[in-house]
Amino acid sequence: MAFSEVINKFANSLPGTDTYVKLRQAMQQLIQDDPSNAAVYFLIFGFARTYVMLYEDQEVSPQFAEDNQKLMVSYLNILDSALKKEDAASLYNALNRVVNEYENSKKVF
């Protein structure tokens, strides 16, 4: 499955931990299928894993879940755009951008 397909499925799924479990599984598969971009997939894998660990046994508001799904989609789109350029510098910059945006966020995952 291509990264773009994973983004589309995630973006169109109901917000909640089950969606993050599927995202994490997809990232594990992409690490196997596309090891040259493993750092991208591992970063998202970590975000998805943390979200599940933090919220799977907690009730969260629908707004919280939707807001965080949108945030994750924004990270995914940044990385997808860089992956499509097939340029190491673009990908490195995209990874740094996502990490810096995460560091300046509420860190929900």
Side-chain angles (χ1 to χ4, degrees), residues 44-75:
I44 299 303
F45 169 88
F47 287 161
R49 181 177 167 263
T50 301
Y51 189 90
V52 172
M53 288 173 44
L54 291 173
Y55 305 111
E56 74 179 329
D57 294 332
Q58 292 186 23
E59 185 174 334
V60 298
S61 73
Q63 190 64 52
F64 178 85
E66 289 171 19
D67 289 348
N68 290 304
Q69 186 174 15
K70 288 177 187 172
L71 180 61
M72 178 63 82
V73 168
S74 75
Y75 293 161

PDB file of all heavy atoms in Angstrom, residues 44-75:
ATOM      1  N   ILE A  44       5.860   8.440  12.080  1.00  0.00           N
ATOM      2  CA  ILE A  44       4.400   8.347  12.142  1.00  0.00           C
ATOM      3  C   ILE A  44       3.971   7.141  12.972  1.00  0.00           C
ATOM      4  O   ILE A  44       3.016   7.215  13.752  1.00  0.00           O
ATOM      5  CB  ILE A  44       3.794   8.303  10.721  1.00  0.00           C
ATOM      6  CG1 ILE A  44       4.136   9.578   9.955  1.00  0.00           C
ATOM      7  CG2 ILE A  44       2.283   8.080  10.790  1.00  0.00           C
ATOM      8  CD1 ILE A  44       3.696  10.881  10.618  1.00  0.00           C
ATOM      9  N   PHE A  45       4.685   6.041  12.845  1.00  0.00           N
ATOM     10  CA  PHE A  45       4.426   4.864  13.676  1.00  0.00           C
ATOM     11  C   PHE A  45       4.467   5.258  15.149  1.00  0.00           C
ATOM     12  O   PHE A  45       3.581   4.895  15.924  1.00  0.00           O
ATOM     13  CB  PHE A  45       5.469   3.765  13.391  1.00  0.00           C
ATOM     14  CG  PHE A  45       5.445   2.637  14.372  1.00  0.00           C
ATOM     15  CD1 PHE A  45       4.611   1.554  14.165  1.00  0.00           C
ATOM     16  CD2 PHE A  45       6.246   2.659  15.499  1.00  0.00           C
ATOM     17  CE1 PHE A  45       4.576   0.503  15.073  1.00  0.00           C
ATOM     18  CE2 PHE A  45       6.222   1.620  16.413  1.00  0.00           C
ATOM     19  CZ  PHE A  45       5.383   0.536  16.204  1.00  0.00           C
ATOM     20  N   GLY A  46       5.482   6.018  15.531  1.00  0.00           N
ATOM     21  CA  GLY A  46       5.625   6.445  16.927  1.00  0.00           C
ATOM     22  C   GLY A  46       4.480   7.328  17.382  1.00  0.00           C
ATOM     23  O   GLY A  46       3.959   7.169  18.495  1.00  0.00           O
ATOM     24  N   PHE A  47       4.082   8.266  16.540  1.00  0.00           N
ATOM     25  CA  PHE A  47       2.943   9.126  16.879  1.00  0.00           C
ATOM     26  C   PHE A  47       1.678   8.281  17.077  1.00  0.00           C
ATOM     27  O   PHE A  47       0.940   8.475  18.048  1.00  0.00           O
ATOM     28  CB  PHE A  47       2.682  10.158  15.784  1.00  0.00           C
ATOM     29  CG  PHE A  47       3.670  11.289  15.699  1.00  0.00           C
ATOM     30  CD1 PHE A  47       3.752  12.038  14.540  1.00  0.00           C
ATOM     31  CD2 PHE A  47       4.509  11.619  16.744  1.00  0.00           C
ATOM     32  CE1 PHE A  47       4.631  13.110  14.430  1.00  0.00           C
ATOM     33  CE2 PHE A  47       5.400  12.687  16.653  1.00  0.00           C
ATOM     34  CZ  PHE A  47       5.460  13.428  15.487  1.00  0.00           C
ATOM     35  N   ALA A  48       1.425   7.364  16.153  1.00  0.00           N
ATOM     36  CA  ALA A  48       0.224   6.536  16.226  1.00  0.00           C
ATOM     37  C   ALA A  48       0.258   5.630  17.456  1.00  0.00           C
ATOM     38  O   ALA A  48      -0.748   5.478  18.163  1.00  0.00           O
ATOM     39  CB  ALA A  48       0.076   5.704  14.951  1.00  0.00           C
ATOM     40  N   ARG A  49       1.402   5.056  17.718  1.00  0.00           N
ATOM     41  CA  ARG A  49       1.564   4.177  18.887  1.00  0.00           C
ATOM     42  C   ARG A  49       1.286   4.935  20.174  1.00  0.00           C
ATOM     43  O   ARG A  49       0.573   4.465  21.057  1.00  0.00           O
ATOM     44  CB  ARG A  49       2.979   3.595  18.887  1.00  0.00           C
ATOM     45  CG  ARG A  49       3.267   2.660  20.024  1.00  0.00           C
ATOM     46  CD  ARG A  49       4.691   2.095  19.867  1.00  0.00           C
ATOM     47  NE  ARG A  49       5.093   1.446  21.080  1.00  0.00           N
ATOM     48  CZ  ARG A  49       5.835   2.014  22.034  1.00  0.00           C
ATOM     49  NH1 ARG A  49       6.266   3.256  21.891  1.00  0.00           N
ATOM     50  NH2 ARG A  49       6.154   1.355  23.113  1.00  0.00           N
ATOM     51  N   THR A  50       1.842   6.126  20.285  1.00  0.00           N
ATOM     52  CA  THR A  50       1.656   6.934  21.488  1.00  0.00           C
ATOM     53  C   THR A  50       0.191   7.322  21.664  1.00  0.00           C
ATOM     54  O   THR A  50      -0.342   7.268  22.775  1.00  0.00           O
ATOM     55  CB  THR A  50       2.548   8.185  21.440  1.00  0.00           C
ATOM     56  OG1 THR A  50       3.911   7.763  21.341  1.00  0.00           O
ATOM     57  CG2 THR A  50       2.377   9.044  22.673  1.00  0.00           C
ATOM     58  N   TYR A  51      -0.459   7.707  20.578  1.00  0.00           N
ATOM     59  CA  TYR A  51      -1.874   8.079  20.663  1.00  0.00           C
ATOM     60  C   TYR A  51      -2.691   6.919  21.221  1.00  0.00           C
ATOM     61  O   TYR A  51      -3.520   7.103  22.123  1.00  0.00           O
ATOM     62  CB  TYR A  51      -2.407   8.509  19.293  1.00  0.00           C
ATOM     63  CG  TYR A  51      -3.792   9.103  19.363  1.00  0.00           C
ATOM     64  CD1 TYR A  51      -3.971  10.468  19.546  1.00  0.00           C
ATOM     65  CD2 TYR A  51      -4.927   8.300  19.262  1.00  0.00           C
ATOM     66  CE1 TYR A  51      -5.242  11.021  19.622  1.00  0.00           C
ATOM     67  CE2 TYR A  51      -6.194   8.844  19.339  1.00  0.00           C
ATOM     68  CZ  TYR A  51      -6.349  10.198  19.520  1.00  0.00           C
ATOM     69  OH  TYR A  51      -7.610  10.740  19.606  1.00  0.00           O
ATOM     70  N   VAL A  52      -2.455   5.736  20.716  1.00  0.00           N
ATOM     71  CA  VAL A  52      -3.191   4.563  21.181  1.00  0.00           C
ATOM     72  C   VAL A  52      -2.890   4.301  22.652  1.00  0.00           C
ATOM     73  O   VAL A  52      -3.809   4.071  23.462  1.00  0.00           O
ATOM     74  CB  VAL A  52      -2.878   3.324  20.317  1.00  0.00           C
ATOM     75  CG1 VAL A  52      -3.487   2.060  20.927  1.00  0.00           C
ATOM     76  CG2 VAL A  52      -3.392   3.526  18.896  1.00  0.00           C
ATOM     77  N   MET A  53      -1.630   4.358  23.027  1.00  0.00           N
ATOM     78  CA  MET A  53      -1.264   4.103  24.420  1.00  0.00           C
ATOM     79  C   MET A  53      -1.908   5.112  25.369  1.00  0.00           C
ATOM     80  O   MET A  53      -2.343   4.744  26.462  1.00  0.00           O
ATOM     81  CB  MET A  53       0.258   4.124  24.580  1.00  0.00           C
ATOM     82  CG  MET A  53       0.939   2.918  23.979  1.00  0.00           C
ATOM     83  SD  MET A  53       2.752   2.995  23.958  1.00  0.00           S
ATOM     84  CE  MET A  53       3.176   3.610  25.556  1.00  0.00           C
ATOM     85  N   LEU A  54      -1.982   6.359  24.961  1.00  0.00           N
ATOM     86  CA  LEU A  54      -2.522   7.408  25.826  1.00  0.00           C
ATOM     87  C   LEU A  54      -4.043   7.403  25.922  1.00  0.00           C
ATOM     88  O   LEU A  54      -4.600   7.729  26.970  1.00  0.00           O
ATOM     89  CB  LEU A  54      -2.061   8.786  25.345  1.00  0.00           C
ATOM     90  CG  LEU A  54      -0.589   9.103  25.505  1.00  0.00           C
ATOM     91  CD1 LEU A  54      -0.259  10.431  24.829  1.00  0.00           C
ATOM     92  CD2 LEU A  54      -0.214   9.153  26.985  1.00  0.00           C
ATOM     93  N   TYR A  55      -4.721   7.058  24.831  1.00  0.00           N
ATOM     94  CA  TYR A  55      -6.155   7.296  24.774  1.00  0.00           C
ATOM     95  C   TYR A  55      -7.045   6.083  24.582  1.00  0.00           C
ATOM     96  O   TYR A  55      -8.258   6.216  24.603  1.00  0.00           O
ATOM     97  CB  TYR A  55      -6.465   8.331  23.680  1.00  0.00           C
ATOM     98  CG  TYR A  55      -5.683   9.596  23.870  1.00  0.00           C
ATOM     99  CD1 TYR A  55      -4.664   9.947  22.976  1.00  0.00           C
ATOM    100  CD2 TYR A  55      -5.922  10.431  24.951  1.00  0.00           C
ATOM    101  CE1 TYR A  55      -3.923  11.106  23.158  1.00  0.00           C
ATOM    102  CE2 TYR A  55      -5.177  11.591  25.140  1.00  0.00           C
ATOM    103  CZ  TYR A  55      -4.188  11.918  24.243  1.00  0.00           C
ATOM    104  OH  TYR A  55      -3.446  13.059  24.430  1.00  0.00           O
ATOM    105  N   GLU A  56      -6.478   4.879  24.424  1.00  0.00           N
ATOM    106  CA  GLU A  56      -7.342   3.741  24.130  1.00  0.00           C
ATOM    107  C   GLU A  56      -8.288   3.399  25.277  1.00  0.00           C
ATOM    108  O   GLU A  56      -9.373   2.881  25.043  1.00  0.00           O
ATOM    109  CB  GLU A  56      -6.541   2.518  23.693  1.00  0.00           C
ATOM    110  CG  GLU A  56      -5.800   1.808  24.801  1.00  0.00           C
ATOM    111  CD  GLU A  56      -5.064   0.592  24.275  1.00  0.00           C
ATOM    112  OE1 GLU A  56      -5.537  -0.030  23.308  1.00  0.00           O
ATOM    113  OE2 GLU A  56      -4.009   0.275  24.819  1.00  0.00           O
ATOM    114  N   ASP A  57      -7.911   3.700  26.503  1.00  0.00           N
ATOM    115  CA  ASP A  57      -8.773   3.387  27.642  1.00  0.00           C
ATOM    116  C   ASP A  57      -9.422   4.631  28.234  1.00  0.00           C
ATOM    117  O   ASP A  57      -9.920   4.596  29.353  1.00  0.00           O
ATOM    118  CB  ASP A  57      -7.967   2.669  28.733  1.00  0.00           C
ATOM    119  CG  ASP A  57      -7.491   1.303  28.284  1.00  0.00           C
ATOM    120  OD1 ASP A  57      -8.159   0.697  27.426  1.00  0.00           O
ATOM    121  OD2 ASP A  57      -6.454   0.840  28.785  1.00  0.00           O
ATOM    122  N   GLN A  58      -9.368   5.736  27.507  1.00  0.00           N
ATOM    123  CA  GLN A  58      -9.942   6.985  27.993  1.00  0.00           C
ATOM    124  C   GLN A  58     -11.022   7.464  27.037  1.00  0.00           C
ATOM    125  O   GLN A  58     -10.915   7.281  25.830  1.00  0.00           O
ATOM    126  CB  GLN A  58      -8.872   8.078  28.076  1.00  0.00           C
ATOM    127  CG  GLN A  58      -7.828   7.866  29.127  1.00  0.00           C
ATOM    128  CD  GLN A  58      -6.909   9.075  29.210  1.00  0.00           C
ATOM    129  OE1 GLN A  58      -7.267  10.167  28.818  1.00  0.00           O
ATOM    130  NE2 GLN A  58      -5.721   8.857  29.729  1.00  0.00           N
ATOM    131  N   GLU A  59     -11.993   8.103  27.612  1.00  0.00           N
ATOM    132  CA  GLU A  59     -13.004   8.728  26.767  1.00  0.00           C
ATOM    133  C   GLU A  59     -12.492  10.111  26.385  1.00  0.00           C
ATOM    134  O   GLU A  59     -12.067  10.882  27.243  1.00  0.00           O
ATOM    135  CB  GLU A  59     -14.322   8.850  27.521  1.00  0.00           C
ATOM    136  CG  GLU A  59     -15.436   9.377  26.668  1.00  0.00           C
ATOM    137  CD  GLU A  59     -16.767   9.359  27.392  1.00  0.00           C
ATOM    138  OE1 GLU A  59     -16.952   8.547  28.310  1.00  0.00           O
ATOM    139  OE2 GLU A  59     -17.612  10.176  27.015  1.00  0.00           O
ATOM    140  N   VAL A  60     -12.472  10.384  25.098  1.00  0.00           N
ATOM    141  CA  VAL A  60     -12.080  11.714  24.633  1.00  0.00           C
ATOM    142  C   VAL A  60     -13.261  12.317  23.880  1.00  0.00           C
ATOM    143  O   VAL A  60     -14.096  11.602  23.333  1.00  0.00           O
ATOM    144  CB  VAL A  60     -10.819  11.677  23.727  1.00  0.00           C
ATOM    145  CG1 VAL A  60      -9.621  11.132  24.481  1.00  0.00           C
ATOM    146  CG2 VAL A  60     -11.070  10.871  22.470  1.00  0.00           C
ATOM    147  N   SER A  61     -13.312  13.624  23.876  1.00  0.00           N
ATOM    148  CA  SER A  61     -14.415  14.281  23.191  1.00  0.00           C
ATOM    149  C   SER A  61     -14.269  14.094  21.683  1.00  0.00           C
ATOM    150  O   SER A  61     -13.160  13.959  21.165  1.00  0.00           O
ATOM    151  CB  SER A  61     -14.432  15.772  23.523  1.00  0.00           C
ATOM    152  OG  SER A  61     -13.368  16.436  22.871  1.00  0.00           O
ATOM    153  N   PRO A  62     -15.387  14.101  20.982  1.00  0.00           N
ATOM    154  CA  PRO A  62     -15.311  13.997  19.522  1.00  0.00           C
ATOM    155  C   PRO A  62     -14.460  15.123  18.922  1.00  0.00           C
ATOM    156  O   PRO A  62     -13.717  14.890  17.970  1.00  0.00           O
ATOM    157  CB  PRO A  62     -16.774  14.104  19.082  1.00  0.00           C
ATOM    158  CG  PRO A  62     -17.561  13.623  20.255  1.00  0.00           C
ATOM    159  CD  PRO A  62     -16.777  14.064  21.455  1.00  0.00           C
ATOM    160  N   GLN A  63     -14.547  16.321  19.502  1.00  0.00           N
ATOM    161  CA  GLN A  63     -13.763  17.450  18.986  1.00  0.00           C
ATOM    162  C   GLN A  63     -12.266  17.201  19.149  1.00  0.00           C
ATOM    163  O   GLN A  63     -11.486  17.472  18.243  1.00  0.00           O
ATOM    164  CB  GLN A  63     -14.158  18.744  19.712  1.00  0.00           C
ATOM    165  CG  GLN A  63     -13.559  19.978  19.064  1.00  0.00           C
ATOM    166  CD  GLN A  63     -14.077  20.193  17.648  1.00  0.00           C
ATOM    167  OE1 GLN A  63     -15.278  20.208  17.424  1.00  0.00           O
ATOM    168  NE2 GLN A  63     -13.192  20.339  16.689  1.00  0.00           N
ATOM    169  N   PHE A  64     -11.863  16.652  20.294  1.00  0.00           N
ATOM    170  CA  PHE A  64     -10.462  16.316  20.543  1.00  0.00           C
ATOM    171  C   PHE A  64      -9.973  15.313  19.504  1.00  0.00           C
ATOM    172  O   PHE A  64      -8.916  15.492  18.899  1.00  0.00           O
ATOM    173  CB  PHE A  64     -10.312  15.748  21.957  1.00  0.00           C
ATOM    174  CG  PHE A  64      -8.920  15.321  22.316  1.00  0.00           C
ATOM    175  CD1 PHE A  64      -8.007  16.243  22.809  1.00  0.00           C
ATOM    176  CD2 PHE A  64      -8.515  14.001  22.170  1.00  0.00           C
ATOM    177  CE1 PHE A  64      -6.718  15.855  23.146  1.00  0.00           C
ATOM    178  CE2 PHE A  64      -7.233  13.604  22.500  1.00  0.00           C
ATOM    179  CZ  PHE A  64      -6.327  14.535  22.993  1.00  0.00           C
ATOM    180  N   ALA A  65     -10.755  14.274  19.294  1.00  0.00           N
ATOM    181  CA  ALA A  65     -10.372  13.233  18.328  1.00  0.00           C
ATOM    182  C   ALA A  65     -10.282  13.799  16.916  1.00  0.00           C
ATOM    183  O   ALA A  65      -9.327  13.509  16.182  1.00  0.00           O
ATOM    184  CB  ALA A  65     -11.369  12.074  18.386  1.00  0.00           C
ATOM    185  N   GLU A  66     -11.253  14.616  16.528  1.00  0.00           N
ATOM    186  CA  GLU A  66     -11.243  15.209  15.186  1.00  0.00           C
ATOM    187  C   GLU A  66     -10.072  16.161  15.004  1.00  0.00           C
ATOM    188  O   GLU A  66      -9.416  16.142  13.953  1.00  0.00           O
ATOM    189  CB  GLU A  66     -12.562  15.940  14.931  1.00  0.00           C
ATOM    190  CG  GLU A  66     -13.742  15.022  14.755  1.00  0.00           C
ATOM    191  CD  GLU A  66     -15.071  15.769  14.724  1.00  0.00           C
ATOM    192  OE1 GLU A  66     -15.087  16.995  14.477  1.00  0.00           O
ATOM    193  OE2 GLU A  66     -16.101  15.109  14.957  1.00  0.00           O
ATOM    194  N   ASP A  67      -9.824  16.993  15.995  1.00  0.00           N
ATOM    195  CA  ASP A  67      -8.711  17.954  15.905  1.00  0.00           C
ATOM    196  C   ASP A  67      -7.377  17.236  15.754  1.00  0.00           C
ATOM    197  O   ASP A  67      -6.517  17.649  14.958  1.00  0.00           O
ATOM    198  CB  ASP A  67      -8.667  18.862  17.140  1.00  0.00           C
ATOM    199  CG  ASP A  67      -9.811  19.859  17.183  1.00  0.00           C
ATOM    200  OD1 ASP A  67     -10.522  20.027  16.166  1.00  0.00           O
ATOM    201  OD2 ASP A  67     -10.008  20.470  18.262  1.00  0.00           O
ATOM    202  N   ASN A  68      -7.209  16.157  16.493  1.00  0.00           N
ATOM    203  CA  ASN A  68      -5.946  15.434  16.416  1.00  0.00           C
ATOM    204  C   ASN A  68      -5.801  14.625  15.144  1.00  0.00           C
ATOM    205  O   ASN A  68      -4.696  14.467  14.632  1.00  0.00           O
ATOM    206  CB  ASN A  68      -5.753  14.589  17.677  1.00  0.00           C
ATOM    207  CG  ASN A  68      -5.491  15.482  18.856  1.00  0.00           C
ATOM    208  OD1 ASN A  68      -4.563  16.278  18.838  1.00  0.00           O
ATOM    209  ND2 ASN A  68      -6.328  15.402  19.858  1.00  0.00           N
ATOM    210  N   GLN A  69      -6.912  14.159  14.621  1.00  0.00           N
ATOM    211  CA  GLN A  69      -6.857  13.482  13.329  1.00  0.00           C
ATOM    212  C   GLN A  69      -6.440  14.481  12.243  1.00  0.00           C
ATOM    213  O   GLN A  69      -5.610  14.173  11.388  1.00  0.00           O
ATOM    214  CB  GLN A  69      -8.193  12.840  12.995  1.00  0.00           C
ATOM    215  CG  GLN A  69      -8.147  12.008  11.729  1.00  0.00           C
ATOM    216  CD  GLN A  69      -9.450  11.261  11.500  1.00  0.00           C
ATOM    217  OE1 GLN A  69     -10.480  11.542  12.109  1.00  0.00           O
ATOM    218  NE2 GLN A  69      -9.398  10.280  10.613  1.00  0.00           N
ATOM    219  N   LYS A  70      -6.992  15.691  12.305  1.00  0.00           N
ATOM    220  CA  LYS A  70      -6.613  16.729  11.339  1.00  0.00           C
ATOM    221  C   LYS A  70      -5.140  17.087  11.464  1.00  0.00           C
ATOM    222  O   LYS A  70      -4.449  17.295  10.457  1.00  0.00           O
ATOM    223  CB  LYS A  70      -7.475  17.976  11.526  1.00  0.00           C
ATOM    224  CG  LYS A  70      -8.896  17.802  11.064  1.00  0.00           C
ATOM    225  CD  LYS A  70      -9.731  19.039  11.339  1.00  0.00           C
ATOM    226  CE  LYS A  70     -11.188  18.788  11.025  1.00  0.00           C
ATOM    227  NZ  LYS A  70     -12.046  19.896  11.458  1.00  0.00           N
ATOM    228  N   LEU A  71      -4.652  17.163  12.696  1.00  0.00           N
ATOM    229  CA  LEU A  71      -3.236  17.456  12.911  1.00  0.00           C
ATOM    230  C   LEU A  71      -2.366  16.351  12.308  1.00  0.00           C
ATOM    231  O   LEU A  71      -1.385  16.635  11.602  1.00  0.00           O
ATOM    232  CB  LEU A  71      -2.945  17.615  14.405  1.00  0.00           C
ATOM    233  CG  LEU A  71      -1.502  17.913  14.782  1.00  0.00           C
ATOM    234  CD1 LEU A  71      -1.028  19.231  14.167  1.00  0.00           C
ATOM    235  CD2 LEU A  71      -1.356  17.938  16.296  1.00  0.00           C
ATOM    236  N   MET A  72      -2.739  15.103  12.550  1.00  0.00           N
ATOM    237  CA  MET A  72      -1.974  13.986  11.991  1.00  0.00           C
ATOM    238  C   MET A  72      -2.013  14.027  10.466  1.00  0.00           C
ATOM    239  O   MET A  72      -0.990  13.816   9.810  1.00  0.00           O
ATOM    240  CB  MET A  72      -2.503  12.648  12.502  1.00  0.00           C
ATOM    241  CG  MET A  72      -1.779  11.448  11.922  1.00  0.00           C
ATOM    242  SD  MET A  72      -0.028  11.360  12.364  1.00  0.00           S
ATOM    243  CE  MET A  72      -0.186  10.620  13.985  1.00  0.00           C
ATOM    244  N   VAL A  73      -3.163  14.321   9.898  1.00  0.00           N
ATOM    245  CA  VAL A  73      -3.271  14.408   8.439  1.00  0.00           C
ATOM    246  C   VAL A  73      -2.354  15.506   7.915  1.00  0.00           C
ATOM    247  O   VAL A  73      -1.712  15.338   6.869  1.00  0.00           O
ATOM    248  CB  VAL A  73      -4.735  14.619   7.993  1.00  0.00           C
ATOM    249  CG1 VAL A  73      -4.818  14.994   6.526  1.00  0.00           C
ATOM    250  CG2 VAL A  73      -5.558  13.361   8.267  1.00  0.00           C
ATOM    251  N   SER A  74      -2.245  16.610   8.630  1.00  0.00           N
ATOM    252  CA  SER A  74      -1.344  17.673   8.176  1.00  0.00           C
ATOM    253  C   SER A  74       0.106  17.189   8.172  1.00  0.00           C
ATOM    254  O   SER A  74       0.852  17.470   7.230  1.00  0.00           O
ATOM    255  CB  SER A  74      -1.507  18.943   9.019  1.00  0.00           C
ATOM    256  OG  SER A  74      -0.908  18.814  10.280  1.00  0.00           O
ATOM    257  N   TYR A  75       0.502  16.439   9.195  1.00  0.00           N
ATOM    258  CA  TYR A  75       1.855  15.873   9.217  1.00  0.00           C
ATOM    259  C   TYR A  75       2.044  14.887   8.073  1.00  0.00           C
ATOM    260  O   TYR A  75       3.083  14.886   7.390  1.00  0.00           O
ATOM    261  CB  TYR A  75       2.128  15.154  10.547  1.00  0.00           C
ATOM    262  CG  TYR A  75       2.190  16.022  11.769  1.00  0.00           C
ATOM    263  CD1 TYR A  75       2.046  15.468  13.031  1.00  0.00           C
ATOM    264  CD2 TYR A  75       2.403  17.401  11.699  1.00  0.00           C
ATOM    265  CE1 TYR A  75       2.114  16.245  14.179  1.00  0.00           C
ATOM    266  CE2 TYR A  75       2.469  18.176  12.841  1.00  0.00           C
ATOM    267  CZ  TYR A  75       2.323  17.592  14.083  1.00  0.00           C
ATOM    268  OH  TYR A  75       2.398  18.360  15.219  1.00  0.00           O
TER     269      TYR A  75
END
